[in-house]
Amino acid sequence: MDYQKTMGHVTSLPSCVILATGRTGSDFLQSLLDSHPELLVFNGVFFFHDFWNKSKCRRSTNFNLSDFLDEFIGDHIEKFISTYDTIEKKGCLGINKDQSIRIDLDTFKSHAIYLLDGFENSSRNILIAIYASYALSLNRDVMQTRVLIHHLHHHFRLPDYLLDFPDSKVISTTRDPRANFVSSVRHWSAYSKGTFRGGLINHSLRKIQRDELAEELCLKGNHRAIKLEDLGDTGTLELLAQWLGIRYSDSMKISSFGGLLWHGDALSTGVKTGTGFSKQMAHNQWSQILSRKDQYLFNILLNRRLESYGYSHRKITITSLLITPLLILLPLTFEKELFSRFYIKAHINEHRLLAHNFISYIRRIGHFAALYKELFSTKSWPVKLISAVPADSPKNRGPSN
């Protein structure tokens, strides 16, 4: 193998970052891109620049690449031996859920060292070499690749990445915000198996707006959003391929990691059917869980988002603008649980927890007040959407989600 030629090729590839805005299918989107022959990918989310900044080997006055790679592998062992990735349930990949990814660590490390021979040991070059080494360890043809796909997940990590890849495209996964909110609160609360806290409600609400924050960070117009509900639509996947600068492939209908069928993460409660998108992934009966008052508030406060992304909504009226400030003060469905007699009785001696829940409630009111103020802004919706699904499609209508 001509490692210098291979490294020259991969360092010239354009980049695209995947970001999440809550429980919006960012892992699923990456899984659809996993087996595309023109994409250079890695095994799921990882925060390379966080690792780079804290690495003991990198901060040493005598940097040793071999030691750095050992440190990286140890810190990310679940990416190479996927049975350790319990959150993403990558120990049960494949059609029969009895397979996993197992990268030969010596082979991976050898590829990386040979690729970086003659190249500066910069964060950018090492990150690219890690991607190429992972692909080579899976016996993939790296010279066919045309775009590097990096799943960064969090918008606040974007600035460090853009320092190395300033021209990178960025795509945020989104979802009906009502379904997103319900999924975030219910699934994270169930998975953590800890005490339900008010901070989770606020965190789940604020994550919904991360696509807007990502748009502010992308100064070159390279940011797009894509809806979880559209990831089963061939036309939308074709538009995504066109935007990325690759050819559409039927592999984009198959959910996999390391080329092995993926069945969903540990937070998902629904049963995923088939090899790709299924309606159960996007629908969680939010209209039956949220009260009519909650749904009314979401419709008003997130009206521009709902309209711009083609989700079911009702137009804002003068009456709704007048009563919304009063409704903001009332507890949401999930907040009522925190203030219920049973919850308070069960945690009567946990004063800090009860204070935390009350403070979170006050902060949520402040957050909703800020959203209400934005209703009077004349600015147009900032985020462009990749979608081939008409706004009046049944996929976007009705409260059956």
Side-chain angles (χ1 to χ4, degrees):
M1 176 186 294
D2 188 336
Y3 281 101
Q4 189 171 25
K5 181 179 179 181
T6 301
M7 189 63 177
H9 171 73
V10 293
T11 53
S12 69
L13 295 178
S15 161
C16 180
V17 170
I18 298 174
L19 301 178
T21 60
R23 293 280 297 163
T24 54
S26 62
D27 291 308
F28 179 67
L29 173 60
Q30 184 182 0
S31 76
L32 297 181
L33 303 176
D34 172 76
S35 295
H36 196 296
E38 295 180 351
L39 296 177
L40 189 63
V41 300
F42 193 67
N43 181 14
V45 180
F46 77 111
F47 313 127
F48 177 77
H49 288 88
D50 288 16
F51 172 79
W52 175 263
N53 290 331
K54 71 179 183 181
S55 166
K56 293 179 180 178
C57 294
R58 199 274 304 174
R59 290 183 294 174
S60 171
T61 54
N62 298 308
F63 180 83
N64 182 282
L65 178 60
S66 179
D67 291 343
F68 177 87
L69 292 171
D70 285 335
E71 185 183 14
F72 177 81
I73 291 170
D75 205 56
H76 300 84
I77 190 63
E78 75 282 0
K79 303 300 181 184
F80 301 93
I81 305 174
S82 68
T83 51
Y84 297 118
D85 197 342
T86 55
I87 292 181
E88 299 299 337
K89 294 177 67 174
K90 291 179 182 174
C92 50
L93 300 172
I95 296 175
N96 298 317
K97 302 182 180 181
D98 58 355
Q99 295 177 275
S100 62
I101 300 168
R102 191 173 188 89
I103 301 294
D104 185 286
L105 302 181
D106 290 334
T107 299
F108 169 84
K109 185 177 173 182
S110 177
H111 283 316
I113 290 174
Y114 281 123
L115 285 167
L116 286 163
D117 185 27
F119 287 82
E120 179 189 359
N121 289 322
S122 63
S123 57
R124 184 180 189 275
N125 287 340
I126 292 179
L127 175 59
I128 292 172
I130 286 171
Y131 268 80
S133 300
Y134 174 79
L136 291 171
S137 298
L138 290 174
N139 296 315
R140 294 183 172 180
D141 187 352
V142 174
M143 297 303 290
Q144 281 193 53
T145 57
R146 299 176 63 182
V147 181
L148 184 151
I149 301 292
H150 183 57
H151 189 171
L152 193 57
H153 205 71
H154 300 130
H155 76 282
F156 54 83
R157 289 187 162 94
L158 194 55
D160 280 347
Y161 185 83
L162 291 179
L163 287 177
D164 277 342
F165 301 87
D167 297 320
S168 179
K169 292 183 177 181
V170 179
I171 187 162
S172 296
T173 55
T174 190
R175 181 183 187 179
D176 187 311
R178 297 157 295 197
N180 187 0
F181 174 61
V182 168
S183 180
S184 292
V185 173
R186 294 186 74 185
H187 290 165
W188 276 113
S189 179
Y191 181 80
S192 64
K193 298 180 181 178
T195 302
F196 180 41
R197 296 172 177 267
L200 178 58
I201 295 174
N202 273 338
H203 188 56
S204 299
L205 287 169
R206 292 183 181 276
K207 285 191 293 186
I208 293 171
Q209 294 178 276
R210 285 181 174 176
D211 53 351
E212 296 178 78
L213 298 175
E215 180 72 21
E216 294 175 2
L217 294 171
C218 298
L219 302 179
K220 298 186 178 182
N222 289 338
H223 178 237
R224 296 291 186 273
I226 193 167
K227 293 158 56 175
L228 170 61
E229 296 88 347
D230 290 351
L231 292 182
D233 177 66
T234 302
T236 297
L237 295 178
E238 289 174 343
L239 288 178
L240 173 61
Q242 181 181 356
W243 182 71
L244 287 172
I246 59 175
R247 292 173 295 178
Y248 170 77
S249 168
D250 284 338
S251 67
M252 297 173 71
K253 292 184 177 180
I254 299 173
S255 175
S256 68
F257 280 103
L260 300 173
L261 191 64
W262 182 56
H263 302 277
D265 61 26
L267 273 66
S268 300
T269 55
V271 178
K272 182 176 175 291
T273 59
T275 59
F277 180 83
S278 60
K279 292 182 179 180
Q280 291 86 343
M281 297 171 56
H283 298 169
N284 61 4
Q285 288 78 48
W286 59 262
S287 61
Q288 300 173 33
I289 296 169
L290 299 177
S291 68
R292 291 181 63 185
K293 185 266 297 177
D294 288 359
Q295 294 181 45
Y296 188 89
L297 280 175
F298 271 89
N299 179 73
I300 300 300
L301 299 177
L302 300 177
N303 201 267
R304 281 203 309 157
R305 171 180 293 274
L306 294 170
E307 180 179 9
S308 299
Y309 286 163
Y311 292 119
S312 62
H313 66 287
R314 294 183 176 87
K315 292 187 178 296
I316 298 176
T317 65
I318 297 298
T319 301
S320 62
L321 287 175
L322 291 175
I323 66 174
T324 294
L326 299 176
L327 296 178
I328 286 174
L329 301 175
L330 301 178
L332 301 175
T333 298
F334 291 120
E335 288 173 334
K336 288 181 179 179
E337 180 180 338
L338 299 176
F339 300 140
S340 69
R341 177 168 55 91
F342 302 103
Y343 184 97
I344 293 176
K345 183 178 180 180
H347 304 283
I348 191 64
N349 294 320
E350 300 177 58
H351 302 147
R352 294 182 66 179
L353 172 63
L354 298 178
H356 164 83
N357 291 340
F358 181 74
I359 293 172
S360 295
Y361 163 67
I362 297 300
R363 287 175 175 169
R364 193 275 302 162
I365 291 176
H367 177 56
F368 274 20
L371 290 175
Y372 179 77
K373 184 179 178 180
E374 290 179 9
L375 294 176
F376 302 94
S377 171
T378 58
K379 295 181 180 179
S380 59
W381 183 252
V383 185
K384 295 180 181 178
L385 184 69
I386 296 177
S387 177
V389 179
D392 59 352
S393 167
K395 291 184 180 181
N396 297 321
R397 289 202 309 262
S400 59
N401 296 340

